[in-house]
Amino acid sequence: MLYKIVVSLFIIPALAEDLVVDVANGKIEGYLRSSPNGVTFRAFQGIPYAKPPIGDLRFKAPVPAENWSGILETKKDGNRCFSVAKDTDDESEDCLFINVYTPILTQANTTLLPVMVYLFGGGFRDGASSYNIYGPDYLIEQEVIMVSLNYRVGPFGFLSTADEVIPGNFGLKDQVLALKWVQQNIRVFGGDPSKVILFGQSAGAASVGLHILSAQSAGLFRGGICESGSGISNWAYLPNPTPYGYELASLIDKNVNISTSAELLKYLQSVSAKAIDVASTQTTIVSQPLPVIEVEHDGAFLKKNLYASLKNGEINRVPLLIGANSEEDISLAVDMASLKTRAAAYDQDLKKLVLKNMNIVNDTKLQELGQIIKGFYLNSNEKFEDNLGLTVAYNSESQFFNPSVRHAELQSLYSDVYLYQFSYVGIMGRNYNITLPGAEKVTHGEELHYYFKRYLGDYDNSNLNQFSDNDVMTHEKMVKLWTNFAKYLNPTPEADSLLEYIVWPKVNPWYIQYLNIDTKLTIESNIKYGRYVMWRDLFEKEAISPVVF
């Protein structure tokens, strides 16, 4: 009886149109919104989940937010974290905020709802959980709760000295603290803390994959959706992070004399956030700091070889939905001159085709492997410069598609995994409609337009009447598949006419099938015309102690 009373007390604030909610740190007040289809829901935006990471907390793991008195108004997005590529008026170190969007429950319907926690992309250098980009409206209509959050990016989130002084991965640790906040507070919004899934795209998808690989995230979620990224993506890991911090300091003050990690931390904590932000746009040693494997210490987010951990099943064994778009890098063809330059560079030096994460240093071996990889795409007498579509395919597959499929393949030994390719070409996706022989058509991020409500200045998908029937049908399918997974950990739990009565098979590592999401839904098995299998076999045979794929 006592248990029932406690649960009831947690649920009551989530009923009807109650917009004042008690979270662990104090009272908050949200507001009502209406989805494009007329469904009213509650929005709570800009809730602090951590102390501002300023002063002595800069380049440190996040600390839970302090309590407040009175009622905190949470009716708009909180500040964005400092981004490398964007300068906006709302950039700030005081940026660790979380948003909760929830259907309105009634006295007749007090069942705790599944929770979808979204992690934004942006290469670990940019991004924010802004409502206009990641509007939850269409997901909310399917009676799930959506949570989005800010985490530190660029140097503030990922600078590391490869020791305990600045161990790194602070942006990922922000995400962990936010997930703990969800576990502690989501009941008062009507959410079920035992039914939390993570989903994200690009760096957000890599983040989801890294939570699967991190012991720090154990028990904080029960499933994941990775769109165009994985915990073993080669662009989501930095093997030698130390030089970046010293270059950053020298760009702030060319006369600064720093020789130790402790001196670097003290100096970077003493300068303004804006000075660090400006310097981050000028660094040349590495493009930007990224997730790292940390030295052993309390609170380390990643401690072990990522690829080996996944292979060995040293992971959080939760169901996973993972995939990529049909041609992630087709946007390269928007600038044909640049694409031709890239293709010519491959032709002139086949060693450039060998991914750095294979850890090959012997020049003769690099040339040999480059020739083999070229053979996946071209005959020996052909050139990439004359086959720009296949140049794009090489980039798309090596950077996005292959790591996603390999992750699916390896994790399927330990949990249920569903693999997809998003191939639908439509105006709703803001498709470039580029046709190149050898390349497919759907680029990085297009699928997001089909399930988030988005307002991007010249783009607004809140009025579905402006789109074709096929666009709208694809939108409805995507919303249903993704929310089905959130509810049932299975995207096709029962026969459904909207989903063409399809049964999405789980990945079998000995015979991989995937759902191709196009005008029609089809189950297919030939992954990138057989090139994936050649890539995988070469990697397994030749890569030296790979950390990522």
Side-chain angles (χ1 to χ4, degrees):
M1 180 63 70
L2 178 60
Y3 174 78
K4 292 182 178 178
I5 292 173
V6 171
V7 170
S8 176
L9 288 173
F10 271 115
I11 294 176
I12 286 174
L15 298 178
E17 297 183 4
D18 193 344
L19 299 177
V20 176
V21 172
D22 267 310
V23 296
N25 298 113
K27 293 181 184 293
I28 61 173
E29 182 177 10
Y31 67 110
L32 295 179
R33 297 194 68 106
S34 183
S35 76
N37 294 316
V39 174
T40 302
F41 62 96
R42 298 181 305 155
F44 302 85
Q45 293 165 256
I47 309 167
Y49 71 85
K51 289 183 180 179
I54 59 177
D56 290 344
L57 293 182
R58 182 186 287 171
F59 305 121
K60 297 289 184 180
V63 176
E66 293 182 342
N67 295 344
W68 56 80
S69 59
I71 298 175
L72 182 67
E73 191 170 277
T74 54
K75 298 181 180 181
K76 63 179 182 179
D77 292 329
N79 298 325
R80 340 171 22 109
C81 297
F82 276 102
S83 295
V84 176
K86 296 181 179 69
D87 276 322
T88 60
D89 292 338
D90 59 348
E91 280 187 315
S92 173
E93 279 190 281
D94 183 6
C95 63
L96 298 184
F97 298 101
I98 196 165
N99 313 308
V100 181
Y101 306 99
T102 176
I104 294 175
L105 300 181
T106 66
Q107 291 288 351
N109 178 17
T110 57
T111 302
L112 294 177
L113 298 176
V115 182
M116 302 179 72
V117 178
Y118 187 72
L119 305 176
F120 62 78
F124 296 106
R125 49 184 275 145
D126 299 303
S129 59
S130 308
Y131 177 87
N132 67 303
I133 302 175
Y134 304 113
D137 304 44
Y138 295 122
L139 301 174
I140 292 290
E141 291 173 354
Q142 298 300 311
E143 296 195 332
V144 298
I145 287 174
M146 188 183 125
V147 174
S148 59
L149 58 111
N150 285 353
Y151 60 91
R152 285 172 284 178
V153 294
F156 296 98
F158 293 95
L159 185 143
S160 172
T161 51
D163 54 26
E164 289 189 51
V165 178
I166 309 178
N169 294 334
F170 306 117
L172 294 164
K173 293 167 186 175
D174 293 343
Q175 295 172 10
V176 170
L177 184 59
L179 289 174
K180 290 179 178 178
W181 186 95
V182 170
Q183 288 295 312
Q184 184 179 22
N185 293 288
I186 203 64
R187 278 183 178 271
V188 300
F189 297 96
D192 189 337
S194 71
K195 293 184 178 180
V196 174
I197 72 151
L198 304 181
F199 70 128
Q201 183 265 348
S202 195
S207 295
V208 174
L210 292 171
H211 285 291
I212 288 172
L213 292 165
S214 174
Q216 292 289 326
S217 307
L220 298 178
F221 66 108
R222 70 164 188 161
I225 299 177
C226 294
E227 303 168 40
S228 308
S230 157
I232 58 169
S233 292
N234 48 59
W235 43 262
Y237 164 72
L238 188 62
N240 181 21
T242 305
Y244 176 87
Y246 292 95
E247 185 188 19
L248 189 74
S250 70
L251 289 168
I252 297 170
D253 181 352
K254 65 181 179 181
N255 297 314
V256 72
N257 184 17
I258 294 171
S259 59
T260 69
S261 298
E263 290 173 350
L264 179 64
L265 174 61
K266 183 177 180 180
Y267 174 73
L268 290 178
Q269 287 181 335
S270 72
V271 300
S272 71
K274 189 62 180 177
I276 295 173
D277 183 46
V278 171
S280 74
T281 67
Q282 302 166 353
T283 53
T284 59
I285 291 177
V286 293
S287 59
Q288 281 300 313
L290 295 167
V292 296
I293 296 174
E294 301 172 50
V295 296
E296 183 69 39
H297 70 281
D298 290 342
F301 182 80
L302 297 171
K303 300 180 182 180
K304 299 180 180 180
N305 182 301
L306 306 175
Y307 193 64
S309 295
L310 186 56
K311 262 189 151 180
N312 298 333
E314 298 172 1
I315 62 175
N316 295 311
R317 299 184 178 189
V318 298
L320 175 67
L321 191 158
I322 186 170
N325 294 348
S326 65
E327 202 64 85
E328 292 279 347
D329 265 348
I330 191 64
S331 58
L332 292 173
V334 172
D335 184 347
M336 290 297 287
S338 177
L339 178 58
K340 288 177 180 177
T341 299
R342 181 189 294 257
Y346 294 151
D347 289 328
Q348 292 163 14
D349 186 1
L350 294 178
K351 297 191 295 293
K352 293 181 182 295
L353 298 173
V354 183
L355 299 178
K356 290 182 179 180
N357 52 297
M358 291 186 74
N359 301 316
I360 307 298
V361 294
N362 180 276
D363 199 67
T364 301
K365 189 66 173 180
L366 283 168
Q367 183 67 30
E368 174 193 333
L369 295 181
Q371 188 69 52
I372 292 172
I373 292 169
K374 175 187 174 182
F376 296 169
Y377 297 89
L378 301 172
N379 294 323
S380 59
N381 61 338
E382 292 180 313
K383 294 182 177 181
F384 280 103
E385 196 170 1
D386 299 324
N387 293 273
L388 295 180
L390 289 170
T391 304
V392 168
Y394 161 79
N395 280 277
S396 299
E397 292 163 25
S398 62
Q399 299 300 313
F400 293 100
F401 214 93
N402 293 342
S404 296
V405 179
R406 188 60 175 146
H407 188 133
E409 201 172 18
L410 292 174
Q411 187 167 334
S412 69
L413 293 167
Y414 307 104
S415 69
D416 293 346
V417 177
Y418 300 89
L419 179 65
Y420 77 89
Q421 175 175 300
F422 185 80
S423 304
Y424 178 74
V425 175
I427 294 174
M428 186 180 286
R430 305 184 87 186
N431 185 263
Y432 289 104
N433 198 26
I434 295 170
T435 299
L436 281 177
E440 297 181 63
K441 289 196 169 187
V442 181
T443 198
H444 196 60
E446 281 190 45
E447 83 286 1
L448 297 175
H449 300 293
Y450 289 90
Y451 65 81
F452 281 128
K453 193 187 88 168
R454 318 195 90 175
Y455 175 71
L456 304 172
D458 62 340
Y459 176 88
D460 183 350
N461 67 354
S462 61
N463 179 7
L464 297 178
N465 292 327
Q466 66 186 301
F467 301 111
S468 71
D469 290 345
N470 283 334
D471 277 15
V472 175
M473 188 65 70
T474 301
H475 148 75
E476 292 176 352
K477 290 174 184 176
M478 286 292 288
V479 170
K480 192 66 179 290
L481 289 167
W482 264 226
T483 56
N484 272 351
F485 185 81
K487 294 175 182 178
Y488 311 112
L489 300 179
N490 182 340
T492 55
E494 60 185 11
D496 188 325
S497 59
L498 172 64
L499 302 178
E500 304 167 39
Y501 303 103
I502 204 92
V503 176
W504 189 339
K506 299 172 189 175
V507 171
N508 178 331
W510 295 277
Y511 178 61
I512 303 177
Q513 294 179 291
Y514 64 95
L515 181 70
N516 188 36
I517 302 172
D518 205 334
T519 305
K520 297 291 184 182
L521 302 178
T522 55
I523 305 300
E524 301 185 13
S525 59
N526 184 11
I527 302 172
K528 292 301 177 186
Y529 313 99
R531 292 193 295 257
Y532 166 72
V533 173
M534 292 188 285
W535 265 108
R536 178 199 65 197
D537 292 350
L538 182 70
F539 191 90
E540 288 295 329
K541 179 182 178 183
E542 302 290 354
I544 299 172
S545 300
V547 175
V548 291
F549 186 77

